[in-house]
Amino acid sequence: MGARTRVSPADGPTSRRGARRRGPAGRRSRRPSAFGFLAADLPASLVVFLVALPLCVGVAVASGVPAELGLITGIVGGLITGLLPGSSLQVSGPAAGLTVLVAEAVRAYGLPALGLIVVGTGLLQLLLGVLRLGGWFRAISLSVVEGMLAGIGLVIVAGQLYAMADTRAPSSGLAKLGGLPGLAASLLSSPSARSAFAVGAGVIVVIMAWQFLPKAVRLLPGALVAVGLAVAAKAVLGLPIATVQVSGLLDVVSLPDFTGVGALPLVSVGGTVLAFTLIASAESLFSAAAVDRLHTGPRTDFDKELIAQGAGNTLSGLLGALPLTAVIVRSAANVQAGARTKASRVLHGVWLLLFALLLPGVLARIPVAALAGVLVHAGFKLLPLKQVKPLWSKHRGEAFVLTATALSILGIGMFEGVLVGLGLSVIKTAWDTSNVRVETVASSPEELTVKITGSATFLRLPKLLDSLEALPDNRPIRLDMTGLRHRDHACTMALLSWAERRRSHGVTLVQLTPSM
């Protein structure tokens, strides 16, 4: 007998260990180590921290709340939302898209009520996520979302132009626009206003020019560099301009007073909570979809992401801070910096926490006009300027919804503007799906056959009745409804009423009953 060759199970072709360790070409493929992930995520987290820092502070100041609250929200977005499952690479924190709504809420109900509103938003997001309704937010018309962001951008730009001149902005959007001539006059007459505006304008110029510099230089975010230059300009030139007011991280934390809920106008506050939830959730989930297109890693679970956003907002509200949402600018920076896992966004929250604890005095050196310049640039980026023209040429209805939503937010208010956009979107959808065609043929020398096809709703009822009323009175008519896919109650009753009036002239109905 020949010698037997013993084959170890670990070396056999069906070995699980062998299959796991060898690639398709027979080469060993190692699973990336934790150090490998950290080597990519650590520098990415620093980039995200540098991008988030001026935006966290700027959003808070623009919202009319202490600057530290913006940092607290960014910390919660990194340490809490960042740890939870959902989207692995998108980054959450205070967003420019909610600035207008937060400022309105603080002005209407006071800063202590903001925490209650944010807690309500977080709990509602948690409920929606548990009920697995996250995917429904993707059903919101894109034109409504873009119109919402465009309206927010217009209000931010109009309001922050005043902050760039160290001037208090009017409360409403229309008042902001109407006050711009007066703002221009104050710039001509006030040297301090001119100095502040020049600092803000310089920040915008630096941010816009930064993208054209070599890639090695652009490792530092343009907004951070611009704010740093503004701090240096104020110190060197001794400019008489306002800076950020600082009171300390722990001093601004305030637990919500739930005993005061009964004193608030519950209907109005409930509408604000719904607006916060709609905008924050839609922006987060649309951002998640956009971030998924930027990388090849795990896809977002929208329900889990909604739960993560809800948990973050609940804690942020309990600390009396701002609402948080996923922010596409920070998320894109995270992906482009080479992040591999959620460790990068968690670490960015750690850096924000260390900065707030160890270097709070740095905030007091930042000119308010510089942060206003950062937000003016961010507001302009919310305007879909490149999309409007092609959208108008191909889909005018969508362009109308977008424009009407933006102008309604600017002229009426955030919540009302979003409702206008949603209503117009529903009407447009009903109009597009309600397509009725009326065709008349002579089935015999004496009789006419009228074929109605498509979908008949009240939106098309005038057209339908005009076509029927134009038929001759002296000939029998056979009304064929077999090709009608759908008709609502209004159309059904109108057709029956028309047929009853024309009964004496020999009208015959085919497949038309009141119950159909």
Side-chain angles (χ1 to χ4, degrees), residues 56-150:
C56 287
V57 178
V59 167
V61 173
S63 301
V65 303
E68 292 89 346
L69 291 182
L71 292 175
I72 291 174
T73 304
I75 293 167
V76 172
L79 299 182
I80 303 303
T81 305
L83 278 172
L84 296 175
S87 174
S88 59
L89 296 182
Q90 79 169 354
V91 183
S92 299
L98 287 171
T99 301
V100 178
L101 198 57
V102 172
E104 290 180 358
V106 172
R107 185 168 51 250
Y109 314 117
L111 183 58
L114 178 62
L116 294 172
I117 294 172
V118 178
V119 168
T121 300
L123 294 176
L124 187 54
Q125 286 181 312
L126 287 171
L127 177 62
L128 294 174
V130 170
L131 295 178
R132 306 189 64 80
L133 299 177
W136 282 98
F137 281 90
R138 291 185 292 170
I140 299 176
S141 170
L142 185 59
S143 59
V144 175
V145 176
E146 290 184 342
M148 175 187 70
L149 295 177

Side-chain angles (χ1 to χ4, degrees), residues 443 447-453 468 476-485 487 492 495-496 498-499 503 506-514 516:
S443 51
E447 185 182 66
L448 292 177
T449 296
V450 179
K451 295 183 178 181
I452 303 179
T453 57
L468 294 177
I477 297 173
R478 183 175 182 269
L479 198 61
D480 187 354
M481 311 291 290
T482 55
L484 198 58
R485 298 188 304 272
R487 62 180 176 274
T492 299
L495 287 169
L496 288 172
W498 176 83
R503 188 78 66 185
V507 171
T508 302
L509 303 181
V510 178
Q511 288 196 359
L512 177 67
T513 63
M516 289 179 62

Side-chain angles (χ1 to χ4, degrees), residues 263-288:
L264 295 173
L266 296 184
V267 175
S268 179
V269 171
T272 303
V273 170
L274 287 175
F276 271 56
T277 304
L278 173 63
I279 296 169
S281 302
E283 188 170 348
S284 295
L285 298 184
F286 273 96
S287 172

